[in-house]
Amino acid sequence: MPEPSVPQARTPDTETPPAPGQGGGVSRRTLLGTAGATGLVLGAAGGALGYAAAPAPATPLTSIGTDRAMFHGKHQPGITDALQAHGHLVAFDLKPGAGRKEAAALLRRWSVAAERLMAGEPAPHEDTDVARDAGPSSLTVTFGFGHSFFARTGLEKQRPAALDPLPDFSADHLDKKHGEGDLWVQIGANDALVAFHALRTLQKEAGDAARVRWQMNGFNRSPGSTAHAMTTRNLMGQIDGTRNPKPAEPDFDRRIFVPASGEPAWMANGSYAVVRRIRMLLDDWEKLARPAQEAVIGRRKSDGAPLSGGDETTPMDLEKADAQGEYVVPLNAHARITRPDQNGGAAMLRRPFSFHDGFDADGTPDAGLLFICWQADPLRGFVPVQRKLDRGDALSRYLRHEASGLFAVPGGAAKGEYVGQRLLEG
């Protein structure tokens, strides 16, 4: 598993009218008109007001709900946006008899619904009122195409070479029923009801065109749950998100997005998502003492700093040795193996969710990471790193890869367009 990370927060696109009133309930429509400065500060800074030691002005409950991501743009939402607290991943297969025409109509319906829901508006048809009292809550909806989609729609000649099936890896114990799919949807939001409302709306909008193949639920730390903005932790208790590529870096777009001049043309400004359900063997992991856990990762558990010293963002010194001449960052440490400079520059944008789906009959937790990574080409991003992890990553013995998918995620839709229109109508 490449060292998972969290992208930098993107400033929400909000207006700044007066702050919401303090009395009574707030309707969903009214809430959209109250996206004030409080919501922006909380989204950007992590919201330190919740547990002040001294009396302080209360943070309005609507502050997180007002944050809004935009549906239309150069890239689809849900790639460079900050991680949300709640996520759903769902794959659909086209129903028998459904082809290119039905797929185009479905993507148009989905795009209309996603734009409305991300703006905090009701669903276009028979809204259930599940999210009636909430604002946009940083909702993002992202659409992608699986390998099988192109044969089902007669578009085989438009299938990208980068969408060829991933190779087998020694850590794989894959359930084929919960991988791949014709269509893939990623939903994220900072409110659980908003996220579920989007999931249910899209499932209903699929109608006679597509049916659910598999679905997974995930979560992350909620905004404002820590005293200051910080990198999140995973279910192993490790700081999880230190070395992610950042949009401000000059080569970010080249590594993560297909260029405007790329092939096929319909994938311009798009990206490829690798999706893996990775179970963490927590019973075995938690038997390790903290120093042993840190040696497996190569970083301190308390603050994410490399074992070679410094703080979380200090560059790792791979040559530093202890008094016995041993590398302080072990040769098989996860953080060492996944570094881009140890993999020919291979890099990806990791944007995962944790999951917990109950317990097995023997009490073993079914929990871990819904690993999602983005790159311009998975053969230059995910594949070389995972191959190296297969050959000697200390963390691999505490993980089991149980499902896998690869999806082509086209660029964002312009106003008046739907996602995938250049493919389906080009």
Side-chain angles (χ1 to χ4, degrees), residues 263-285:
E263 293 293 336
W266 65 268
M267 272 296 291
N269 302 312
S271 188
Y272 292 90
V274 174
V275 182
R276 311 270 285 183
R277 185 186 195 271
I278 305 176
R279 187 191 284 221
M280 295 176 171
L281 307 181
L282 295 176
D283 286 345
D284 294 334
W285 174 256

Side-chain angles (χ1 to χ4, degrees), residues 109-135:
R109 292 197 303 273
W110 273 356
S111 295
V112 169
E115 181 181 8
R116 288 180 61 88
L117 296 176
M118 285 176 55
E121 299 174 3
H125 304 110
E126 299 179 354
D127 189 86
T128 61
D129 286 342
V130 171
R132 181 182 181 89
D133 308 305

Side-chain angles (χ1 to χ4, degrees), residues 42-43 49 56 72 76 79 127 133 139 149 174 178 233 325 337 387 392 401 409 418:
L42 188 63
L49 298 179
H72 295 291
Q76 286 198 59
I79 302 176
D127 189 86
D133 308 305
L139 174 68
F149 177 82
L174 303 181
H178 293 88
R233 293 183 184 271
I337 290 176
R387 279 178 170 159
H401 294 241
V409 177
Y418 64 88

Side-chain angles (χ1 to χ4, degrees), residues 17 72 77 87 143 160 171 193 254 257 312 314 348 379 412:
H72 295 291
F143 302 109
L193 290 179
R254 177 181 63 81
F257 294 110
E312 182 185 353
T314 301
M348 67 202 83
L379 292 178

Side-chain angles (χ1 to χ4, degrees), residues 22-87:
Q22 298 297 313
V26 182
S27 72
R28 189 161 169 79
R29 183 173 298 276
T30 300
L31 194 56
L32 293 176
T34 59
T38 304
L40 291 174
V41 170
L42 188 63
L49 298 179
Y51 298 97
T59 302
L61 294 178
T62 56
S63 57
I64 292 175
T66 57
D67 288 347
R68 175 183 174 183
M70 304 305 293
F71 177 75
H72 295 291
K74 182 178 180 181
H75 310 298
Q76 286 198 59
I79 302 176
T80 59
D81 299 84
L83 279 175
Q84 299 105 321
H86 306 277

Side-chain angles (χ1 to χ4, degrees), residues 28 31 64-65 84-88 117-118 120-123 127-141 187-202 217-219 222:
R28 189 161 169 79
L31 194 56
I64 292 175
Q84 299 105 321
H86 306 277
H88 299 295
L117 296 176
M118 285 176 55
E121 299 174 3
D127 189 86
T128 61
D129 286 342
V130 171
R132 181 182 181 89
D133 308 305
S137 300
S138 299
L139 174 68
T140 59
V141 182
I187 296 167
N190 282 330
D191 180 80
L193 290 179
V194 169
F196 173 82
H197 183 238
L199 174 67
R200 178 64 174 142
T201 297
L202 296 179
N217 307 314
F219 57 90
S222 297

